[in-house]
Amino acid sequence: MTTQTFDKLQEKFSTNRATQVATQTTQVVAVVSTKGGVGKTTLAANKSALIADFGFKVLMIDADVQPSLSKYYPLSYTAPNGIVELMLGGNNDENIRSCISKTIYPQLDIILSNNISGDIQTKIQSRPDRAVLLKSKLIHPIIRQYDFVLIDTQGSVGALQDAAAFAADLLISPLVPETLSAREFLSGTEEMLNRLSYGEALGLRVPPLFALLYKQDRTRDSKEISAEIRHYFNQFIDGKKRLLNTIIPQAKAYKEAASLRLPVHCHDYIQNNRATDCAFDIMHELAYEIWHAMAERKLTATRFNDGADLLPVEDLSDSPELPENISQSNQNNIVENDDKNGSGCLNENLAPSHHSSPKHSGSLLSHLVSLNQATEWKKGLSITVNEIIRNQEFAKTLSKDDYGKSIDLNKLHFPACFFANDTPIEQIQVAIAYISTCCLDNTSTEKVQALLDEMIDLSVDSPFEYFIELCQTANEANEKGEE
């Protein structure tokens, strides 16, 4: 970052809470990569939530054609418009306000990705002001009320990515220490920065880029590639390209948090003598390294007051009611989770200890679940699943007591595609247990998780139907093996 940017940031931290600062300066960060599946969305979502938990007002912008960030957290309010109207609509109060939705997490808002079709991309590409199309909107007073704006971009070259880069004060690019990912980063990122440099002739500054090692495991190969990457970045002394010291490890807590729709620092916040630090500490370390003023002020997340400040989710009372037996099964799952873990976490080793507030000992997750109970369970998911099962030739008749007896639901984590319709995890657990019992021979937790893992990087419209197809394929493969 430039000296001027750091000076402005220091002014912002004259107090601990951003809302108390008279002088408003918005820091814009774009999370970029020319390769998909490297963790941009996870990084943007968790970084945004941490900063909001510090007390700053944060706006996330989902500028990806695959709206993963839009589905990451539950919403308390859904705006009628999104990124398309922001980019192509007028630069006026009414249009800007109509694009801003609110998550249930205080101070954390989002502009949703809504129908970024090829036609929309073409319209943006054909505009003479395409390079500054987003930048011109982010200087609007309504946007400048935010302390931070974090933009999640598509994992490929395009007009939206360029517009996000030119609008940013800083670029952050996650980098997986694998051979192919590293090669793509080194070549693709260089090409991106070279392409953006042509904008300097028009007075468009290319912001500095911070690379971040992401999903690093403890294998020798991963460590050797990381060392090579670090050597590459050590060549640059101009400060425009830098590799951060903070490393995001390969850890299941990040997948679990995404499944639970929780910020990872709220989910994994206890250090249990593991080989890597908990996500709570890692996210703080990353924020401190990027924004030194945060470290100087020793800002610490409160886990949104352990859930006490969460906003209610949107009212979906017009949705169809769930069958009584499924609804009761959902509630039983919640009670079992809370009694067993004390936190509602999928991993019982992550149960809260000294971080938990006595007033809200039910944890952030159980508080979030209680907000969901009156609304999210009325989506009729189980009705849909029942219909799918009935249409399968291998359908069986089950009582509610048969669901998933051989599956430990608390140990399963689910790909993000299952949460496309803001589906609460308790419904997903019941549906997967039902499908697995009906459709998968010799059902076990390990077998179900292996099939779910095949869907981690997929964006499918009907994840439960796709899961049924995976069950069928697994059974067919098993039958051929026995023959």
Side-chain angles (χ1 to χ4, degrees), residues 59-78:
L59 176 66
M60 301 184 293
I61 299 179
D62 191 352
D64 194 348
V65 293
Q66 295 183 345
S68 300
L69 184 63
S70 299
K71 303 169 184 175
Y72 211 93
Y73 296 131
L75 302 179
S76 63
Y77 165 72
T78 301

Side-chain angles (χ1 to χ4, degrees), residues 82-96:
I83 184 66
V84 171
E85 290 76 19
L86 179 76
M87 297 287 286
L88 300 179
N91 196 10
N92 54 69
D93 290 7
E94 182 179 1
N95 183 55
I96 300 294

Side-chain angles (χ1 to χ4, degrees), residues 5 37 88 112 197 231 298 301 373 390 398:
T5 301
L88 300 179
L112 302 174
S197 67
H231 174 72
K298 298 180 180 179
Q373 284 181 4
R390 279 198 295 269
L398 298 174

Side-chain angles (χ1 to χ4, degrees), residues 209-220:
L209 181 139
F210 286 0
L212 171 71
L213 289 174
Y214 193 86
K215 294 183 181 179
Q216 177 171 302
D217 57 37
R218 287 177 284 175
T219 63
R220 176 185 294 181

